[in-house]
């Protein structure tokens, strides 16, 4: 059976391929605390695979460092992502992958908002509501098939 | 010949298990020939009956006997007439199929005889072999034997074969046809190109090509445990040589190879590309031209689509080789006026369209294709540079930081970098000098290009991605490196730009990258860099120094000097500047600069000096090092302890500040100088070392400064006070007696500093060649004297230095020195170690010497003496005073010293000494630990505490040793070691803890079965180490920053523990780790909030691996 892709020919962006962070002297000093910042969060999600293509979210420009806001002291993180096309039906799945990756990789003290970037998706509000509803996320992850798909997308991210 | 001998042999052959009977019968025949009773010809006559028999096996046995006898006889018994007769005899019988294996052996044996070489038989033998035998009908060993015979004859008798057998190519086609065995194919693929190249293949080229191309692509996979050693890669390479064996294959090969490029198999594509590349230079341009457009198009699409780096690299390389071939006859100057070549033009058009559409990923790929082609020849380079370079000389988006402009600029600079790098390669060709027109080719672009790149640097400095500016820097380097482009002023300008970016850069990785670019620039243009750096360096360094403060960029400047100085032409001029800078001691400045500033300054300069010295490896440079650098460095370090400004030295209150500053009194600086001296001396020959060490010996032993007087800094004699130099108390008594009371007081204050300088003597003494003699006739007496002196002093570094000197001598003068150790030195040191009337410091000094001697002996794998020394050390692990030092010292014995007692320092180091030492220590350590642990649990109060401390020393010793022990030994002893290793994780020492964790990591990788046994304890121990704070139970819930306590586990320990924990799900089966999965995932929530980012990153990796360990996963 032929599987039709929602976006068969996405635009591929050039990426650095690895973290842009450079190890500074303060990061090697035990006495200095390194606060969470947007680059650290971006490094966690940049290599998540797209559900449709063997490409990362960074290569498809779905996630960008400057679309992440972090307030370490207020325990708040907001991640905005950009679907490749406005009618992308994979947007919820991509958001779910980001959510699971951050749940597994960040301390529990953070409140994490994951949102579709404003004006980049037809069903922006519905997707945002779904992604930030704890119960719906938990329910989705009880679906073994869905969890398997999420795990496949996250396999490259570690 | 007596038929009885032959019958006996043939009868013995009947019984195949009777080897000795066969051998005896054969020997009897050989003896009769040797004794002259018979000859080969009479043997043939005697074999008439079996050879004419109707029965196949009888005829075969007869031929076997003949072939075996020929093999066992020497040339003297095989006369040329017999060779001729037998050759014809064997040839004529080749149609007798059952006899063929033995006939081939007989011919092979004959072909190695002198008679065969004298005759003219090669052609007829090869012809008979290929015409009479239907090779494919025989088993593999026979086919291989025939091919080997052909191979031998072709190697030895090629001219004869060319003359006698011009039809060999056609005959060989039949012989090779349908061969499938990889061993035989390897021989066929060796024969094939030789036949094709040395014989006329006209009329057979298509058949020859078909017979060999049917094997393409090779898909052979050796069976598991294959002992034959033929690999798919061997076959592929050999087949490639066959296809590229002759230009005659050109019309037949290209199309089928093109069709393989569309194969779905990646390895077939790479194989086809490699074959095309190999054929490129063999087939004529006329063969290639009709296919070039299709080839270029296919390969280009492959480059755009593939994600396989190896395939992409091969595509680029093949395309470049093909373009180079089809344009090889073009004169470079033709490209100055011609339109782009018909094959290059579509690529250039593609690039223009991609740039216009901002398809940057594809544009960069096209840029890489064009660059690869440009690098192949001057013609291709100019042909591509002319239309392509102007596309990128107009800057984009310099006015704002719009991300699109950043992308554009990034792509522009990357493509420019590739094109310029290719131009550097092409214009490095000696051909350039033949064409005066090319000398001015780059003038058209120089100004625009330089401005373009210079403007890009500040543009990218605004970029959030620090790698962008590095891209421009490397493009700038590529630009100025193009031969004939840019003059010295521009190159100097490029250096200054790179230097500026380097000084402004943040982060070690960025700075290292820039340092590498600057190093490349220095390698390419040493004169320009020398001119640009020497004067500023000369002016800059003293300014910083005199001001008595540290310029914030001093370390960066010196790191740059060290990196540039790795180019040998630059190292010496830099050293000539830096050595006087060190010598200009701050004791001459008023007021005295802050000691801390001086220490940091000299630290940095000394480190640079050390790195520059490493770059001087040429014989002339070495001689300069021996004559100037080593004596200068030595006297710079020593002089302030016996010579200085009289008024200053008289102020005893400032003396303790002044001398350490001037004489590098801090350990780090002294170690740096010692290290520089040692590495410089180690590189010299014994002849160069001998006078140097003789002078140093007289200096330290007797205070003779005469050879160094000319190197001392000039000072006013009226105000200079020079006191005796007497670190070993062996200087002339009259010199000391002549001192006034005041001077005596100063001398007494200076002498401890003089003793500290002995580490420089030790550095020199430890790196001597074994052939360099000690200046005194009785070195043993010197060693005893040094030992007595060392034991009498209780300052640490003095004992360390003299211990190194003694140990190095013992190691190099063995075995004679071992007697001295056993009889004279050891009793004295052992007594000093155990003498309870000595101070603790004194006992530890003695122990340091004991450990150094033990190391010297262990390196020699010193048998009984080693056992005695090691047993004693293990015994001292129960001594509360000595045990801590012994535990660390055992690790130091197996660890390489920075400059002494190593192979680089010309020490005698036996193979496997670490293994032997470890195996010797292990039982004692395990037993000692168990005994101490048992005593600890049975005793109470103070005794219990002491026993607890004691068993920790065994663990400490083990964890210090274990990281230096080769893996095979470690694995063999693991079962007894694991409980101890796990216990040692509880020790508070960072180094030992990290060492043990790294060992556990290796165990998990290489001995997963054993790790599975201990998985529960390992997980528990590692989880405890991943937490920064004391209470592991609260680690998961309380934020790290809320705790004001100092961290229990340092960052290195936490990171190592997380790495080790992360490897477990990969190495162990899921059923083993499943019981711990939830616990680990829960516990790792704590490290996810660690105060250090490096730890958090490891925690993320580790936790996700434990999540991923299950097939389904869960939150």
């Amino acid at each position: 059976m032929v599987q039709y892709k929602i976006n068969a020919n996405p635009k591929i962006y050039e990426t650095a391929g690895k973290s842009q962070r450079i190890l500074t002297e303060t990061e090697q000093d035990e006495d200095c605390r390194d606060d969470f910042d947007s680059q650290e969060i971006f490094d966690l999600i940049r290599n998540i695979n797209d559900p449709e293509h063997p490409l990362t979210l960074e290569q498809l420009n779905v996630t960008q460092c400057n679309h992440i806001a972090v307030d370490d002291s207020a325990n708040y993180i907001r991640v905005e992502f950009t679907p490749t096309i406005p009618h992308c039906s994979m947007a919820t799945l991509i958001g779910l992958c980001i959510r699971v990756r951050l749940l597994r990789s960040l301390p529990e003290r953070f409140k994490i908002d994951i949102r579709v970037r404003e004006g980049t998706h037809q069903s922006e509000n519905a997707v945002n509501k779904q992604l930030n509803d704890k119960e719906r996320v938990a329910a989705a992850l009880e679906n073994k098939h869905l969890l398997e798909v999420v795990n496949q997308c996250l396999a490259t991210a570690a | 010949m007596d038929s009885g001998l032959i019958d006996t042999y043939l009868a013995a052959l009947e019984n195949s298990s009777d080897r000795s009977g066969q051998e005896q019968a054969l020997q009897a025949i050989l003896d009769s020939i040797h004794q002259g009773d018979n000859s080969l010809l009479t043997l043939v006559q005697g074999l008439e009956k079996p050879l004419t028999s109707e029965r196949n096996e009888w005829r075969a046995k007869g031929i076997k006997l003949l072939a075996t006898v020929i093999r066992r006889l020497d040339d003297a018994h095989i006369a040329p007439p017999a060779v001729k007769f037998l050759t014809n005899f064997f040839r004529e019988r080749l149609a007798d199929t059952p006899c063929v294996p033995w006939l081939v052996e007989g011919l092979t044996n004959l072909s190695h005889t002198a008679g065969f070489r004298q005759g003219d038989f090669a052609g007829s033998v090869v012809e008979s072999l290929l015409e009479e035998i239907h090779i494919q009908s025989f088993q593999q060993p026979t086919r291989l034997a025939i091919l080997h015979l052909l191979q031998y004859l072709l190697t030895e008798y090629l001219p004869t074969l060319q003359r006698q057998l011009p039809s060999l190519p056609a005959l060989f086609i039949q012989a090779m046809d349908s061969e499938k065995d990889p061993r035989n194919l390897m021989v066929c693929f060796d024969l094939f190109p030789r036949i094709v190249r040395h014989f006329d293949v006209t009329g057979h080229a298509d058949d020859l090509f078909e017979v060999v191309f049917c094997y393409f692509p090779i898909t052979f996979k050796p069976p598991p445990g294959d002992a034959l050693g033929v690999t798919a890669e061997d076959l592929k390479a050999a087949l490639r040589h066959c296809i590229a064996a002759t230009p005659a294959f050109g019309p037949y090969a290209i199309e089928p190879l093109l069709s393989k490029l569309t194969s779905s198999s990646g390895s077939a594509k790479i194989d086809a590309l490699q074959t095309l590349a190999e054929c490129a230079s063999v087939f004529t341009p006329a063969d290639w031209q009709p296919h070039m457009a299709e080839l270029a198009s296919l390969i280009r699409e492959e480059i755009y689509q593939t994600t396989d780096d190896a395939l992409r690299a091969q595509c680029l390389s093949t395309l470049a080789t093909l373009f180079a071939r089809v344009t090889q006859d073009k004169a470079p100057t033709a490209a100055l006026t011609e339109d782009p070549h018909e094959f290059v033009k579509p690529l250039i058009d593609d690039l223009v369209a991609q740039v216009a559409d901002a398809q940057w990923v594809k544009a960069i790929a096209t840029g890489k294709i064009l660059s690869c082609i440009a690098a192949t020849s001057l013609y291709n380079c100019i042909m591509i540079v002319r239309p392509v370079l102007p596309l990128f000389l107009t800057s984009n988006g310099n006015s704002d930081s719009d991300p699109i402009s950043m992308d554009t600029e990034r792509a522009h600079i990357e493509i420019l970098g590739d094109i310029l790098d290719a131009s550097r390669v092409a214009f490095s060709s000696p051909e350039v000098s033949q064409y005066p027109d090319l000398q001015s080719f780059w003038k058209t672009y120089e100004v625009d290009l330089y401005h373009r790149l210079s403007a890009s640097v500040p543009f990218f400095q605004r970029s959030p991605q620090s790698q962008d500016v590095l891209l421009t820097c490397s493009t700038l380097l590529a630009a100025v490196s193009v031969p004939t482009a840019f003059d010295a002023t521009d190159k100097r300008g490029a250096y200054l730009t790179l230097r500026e970016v380097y000084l402004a850069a943040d982060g070690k990785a960025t700075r290292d990258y820039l340092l590498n670019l600057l190093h490349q620039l220095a390698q390419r243009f040493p004169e320009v860099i020398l001119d640009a750096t020497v004067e500023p360096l000369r002016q800059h360094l003293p300014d910083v120094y005199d001001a008595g403060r540290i310029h914030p960029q001093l370390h960066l400047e010196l790191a740059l000097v060290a990196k540039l100085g790795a180019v040998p032409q630059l190292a010496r001029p830099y050293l000539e500047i830096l050595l006087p800078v060190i010598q200009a001691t701050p004791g001459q400045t008023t007021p005295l600069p802050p000691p801390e500033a001086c220490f940091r300054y000299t630290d940095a300069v000394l480190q640079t000096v050390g790195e520059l010295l490493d770059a001087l490896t040429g014989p002339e440079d070495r001689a300069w090092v021996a004559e100037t650098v080593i004596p200068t460095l030595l006297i710079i370090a020593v002089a302030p302890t016996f010579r200085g400004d009289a008024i200053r030295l008289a102020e005893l209150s400032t003396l303790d500040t002044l001398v350490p500053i001037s004489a590098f009194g801090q350990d780090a600086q002294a170690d740096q100088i010692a290290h520089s001296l040692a590495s410089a001396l180690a590189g010299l020959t014994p002849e160069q070392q001998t006078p140097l060490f003789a002078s140093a010996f007289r200096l330290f032993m007797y205070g003779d400064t005469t050879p160094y007087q000319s190197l001392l800094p000039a000072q006013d004699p009226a105000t200079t006070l020079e006191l005796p130099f007497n670190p070993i108390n062996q200087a002339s008594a009259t010199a000391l007696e002549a001192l006034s009371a005041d001077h005596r007081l100063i001398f007494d204050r200076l002498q401890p500093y003089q003793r500290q300088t002995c580490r420089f003597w030790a550095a020199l003494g430890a790196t001597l060649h074994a052939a360099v003699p000690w200046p005194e006739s009785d070195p043993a007496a010197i060693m005893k004297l040094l030992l007595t002196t060392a034991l009498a002093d209780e300052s640490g570094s003095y004992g360390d230095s003299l211990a190194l000197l003694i140990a190095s001598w013992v190691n190099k003068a063995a075995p004679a020195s071992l007697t001295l150790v056993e009889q004279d030195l050891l009793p004295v040191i052992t007594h000093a170690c155990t003498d309870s009337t000595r101070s603790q410091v004194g006992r530890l000094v003695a122990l340091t010497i004991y450990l150094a001697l033990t190391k010297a002996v262990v390196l020699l794998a010193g048998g009984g003496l080693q056992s005695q020394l090691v047993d004693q050390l293990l015994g001292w692990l129960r001594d509360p005073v000595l045990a801590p030092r012994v535990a660390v010292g055992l690790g130091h014995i197996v660890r390489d010293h920075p400059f002494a007692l190593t192979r680089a320092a010309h020490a005698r180091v036996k193979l496997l000494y670490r293994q032997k030492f470890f195996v010797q220590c292990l039982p004692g350590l395990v037993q000692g630990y168990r005994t101490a642990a048992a005593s600890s649990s049975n005793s109470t109060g103070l005794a219990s505490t002491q026993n607890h401390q004691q068993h920790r020393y065994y663990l400490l010793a083990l964890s210090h040793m274990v990281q230096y022990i080769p893996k095979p030994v470690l694995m063999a002893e693991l079962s007894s070691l694991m409980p101890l290793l796990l216990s040692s994780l509880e020790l508070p020492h960072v180094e030992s803890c990290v060492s043990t964790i790294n060992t556990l990591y290796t165990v998990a990788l290489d001995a997963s079965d054993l790790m599975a046994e201990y998985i529960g304890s390992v997980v528990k121990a590692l989880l405890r180490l991943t937490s920064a704070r004391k209470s592991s139970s609260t680690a998961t819930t309380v934020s790290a920053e809320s705790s004001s306590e100092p961290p229990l586990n340092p960052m290195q320990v936490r990171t190592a523990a997380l790495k080790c924990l992360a490897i477990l799900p990969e190495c162990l089966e899921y059923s083993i780790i499943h019981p711990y999965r939830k616990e680990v995932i829960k516990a790792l929530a704590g490290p996810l909030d660690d105060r250090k980012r490096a730890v958090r990153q490891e925690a993320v990796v580790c936790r996700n691996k434990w999540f991923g360990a299950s097939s389904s996963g869960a939150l």
Side-chain angles (χ1 to χ4, degrees), chain A residues 10-51:
Chain A
K11 188 173 178 185
I12 306 167
Y13 291 78
E14 199 192 350
T15 63
K18 57 180 181 179
S19 173
Q20 291 291 307
R21 185 182 292 286
I22 287 162
L23 195 62
T24 59
E25 277 152 22
T26 51
E27 283 181 36
Q28 296 171 61
D29 181 358
E30 180 83 70
D31 297 330
C32 301
R33 180 181 165 80
D34 305 329
D35 284 338
F36 282 85
D37 59 15
S38 55
Q39 180 68 49
E40 186 169 347
I41 307 303
F42 181 60
D43 286 341
L44 291 174
I45 59 174
R46 67 194 305 166
N47 287 323
I48 296 174
N49 249 354
D50 181 76

Side-chain angles (χ1 to χ4, degrees), chain B residues 328-581:
Chain B
Q328 66 174 17
D329 297 329
K330 296 276 191 181
T333 44
L336 292 171
T337 49
E338 282 179 6
D339 286 337
H341 194 281
E342 57 179 312
F343 304 134
V344 180
K345 195 167 182 316
L347 286 167
I348 295 174
D349 292 344
D350 273 355
L351 182 63
V352 172
Q354 287 155 357
V355 169
D357 296 346
Q359 293 181 16
W360 297 123
V361 175
K362 278 192 171 179
I364 289 170
T366 312
K368 288 199 189 301
I369 297 173
L370 286 167
S371 304
C372 276
I373 297 169
T376 57
S377 72
L378 276 170
Y379 172 82
N380 283 335
C381 179
I382 297 167
M383 182 65 69
I384 288 167
V385 166
R386 276 181 53 221
V388 170
L389 208 58
L391 291 176
F392 304 102
L393 289 183
T394 315
S395 181
N396 285 278
N398 276 357
S399 56
D400 55 50
S401 58
D402 178 21
I404 295 169
S405 298
M406 283 281 183
D407 285 345
T408 308
E409 182 74 352
R410 203 175 292 134
H412 276 212
I413 296 296
E414 187 166 349
I415 296 169
L416 261 181
D418 288 337
I419 296 282
L420 289 167
D421 226 14
S423 304
R424 180 179 62 78
V425 176
F427 273 76
S428 300
S429 157
E431 246 189 324
V432 177
S433 57
Q434 297 168 17
Y435 300 98
D437 289 355
L438 299 188
Q439 304 295 325
S440 56
F441 172 71
W442 287 96
K443 295 284 173 226
T444 323
Y445 308 104
E446 271 178 11
V447 176
D448 290 343
L449 189 56
Y450 197 85
H451 283 149
R452 173 79 180 81
L453 294 175
S454 302
S456 181
V457 171
F459 173 73
F460 273 141
Q461 278 177 329
R462 301 200 302 269
S463 164
Q465 295 190 15
S466 60
Q467 287 181 347
D468 288 343
V469 77
L470 302 184
L471 184 66
T472 306
C473 288
S474 76
T475 304
L476 185 60
L477 171 69
V480 295
S481 302
V482 177
T484 75
F486 299 104
D487 58 16
T489 314
D490 292 331
K491 285 166 185 158
R492 189 188 170 106
Y495 163 75
L496 293 173
T497 306
L498 293 185
R499 179 178 170 277
E500 194 182 325
V501 177
Y502 161 72
L503 292 176
D506 181 30
K508 188 172 181 309
T510 312
R511 287 201 292 266
D512 285 348
Y513 185 88
L514 287 158
L515 279 178
N516 279 331
L517 293 184
L518 284 157
H519 175 67
Q520 287 177 39
L521 193 63
Q523 274 182 318
R524 288 169 194 167
F525 312 106
E527 294 85 9
V528 174
I529 301 303
L530 195 62
D531 185 47
T533 51
V534 164
E535 209 44 50
L537 185 65
R538 200 190 297 280
Q539 290 169 4
H540 184 57
L541 282 178
D543 285 350
V544 177
Y545 188 70
D546 285 344
R549 59 186 169 77
I550 299 296
H551 191 282
Q553 290 181 332
L554 174 74
H555 285 85
L556 298 181
E557 294 268 15
L558 285 172
L560 174 59
V561 168
K563 194 71 184 178
L564 296 176
V567 178
Q569 296 101 305
L570 302 181
R572 191 165 156 175
Y574 289 164
L575 270 174
E576 282 168 350
I577 296 170
L578 288 182
L579 283 177
V581 169

Side-chain angles (χ1 to χ4, degrees), chain B residues 556-628:
Chain B
L556 298 181
E557 294 268 15
L558 285 172
L560 174 59
V561 168
K563 194 71 184 178
L564 296 176
V567 178
Q569 296 101 305
L570 302 181
R572 191 165 156 175
Y574 289 164
L575 270 174
E576 282 168 350
I577 296 170
L578 288 182
L579 283 177
V581 169
I582 306 174
Q583 205 164 18
T585 54
Q588 295 154 24
T589 60
T590 306
L592 278 178
E596 193 50 40
C598 294
F599 288 141
R600 284 170 59 196
Y601 175 77
T602 41
D603 267 351
V605 177
L606 284 170
Q607 193 178 345
T608 309
V609 167
E611 288 175 38
L612 292 174
L613 277 172
D614 290 341
L616 294 174
T617 50
E620 281 182 19
D621 290 333
R622 287 283 182 205
W624 179 69
V625 168
E627 286 163 18
T628 312

Side-chain angles (χ1 to χ4, degrees), chain B residues 813-895:
Chain B
S817 59
L818 297 183
T819 316
L820 176 81
V821 171
E822 204 164 2
Q823 292 176 0
D824 297 313
L825 305 186
L826 218 47
V828 178
I829 308 171
T830 310
H831 179 259
C833 287
T834 51
D835 183 3
S836 55
T837 59
R838 281 174 69 91
S839 68
Q840 279 198 8
V841 177
R843 289 178 67 191
L844 291 176
V845 168
L847 178 62
T848 304
I849 304 172
Y850 194 97
L851 284 164
L853 275 179
T854 307
K855 174 155 188 167
V857 174
V858 166
L859 292 181
L860 295 164
L865 180 57
Q866 178 174 332
S867 305
Q868 184 188 338
L869 288 160
V870 171
D871 291 346
Q872 182 67 79
L873 282 173
L874 293 179
W876 282 339
L877 280 172
R878 290 191 295 274
D879 184 314
V881 174
L882 302 178
R885 183 72 65 87
V886 172
V888 177
L890 284 170
H892 287 183
I893 289 174
V894 282
R895 189 179 76 175

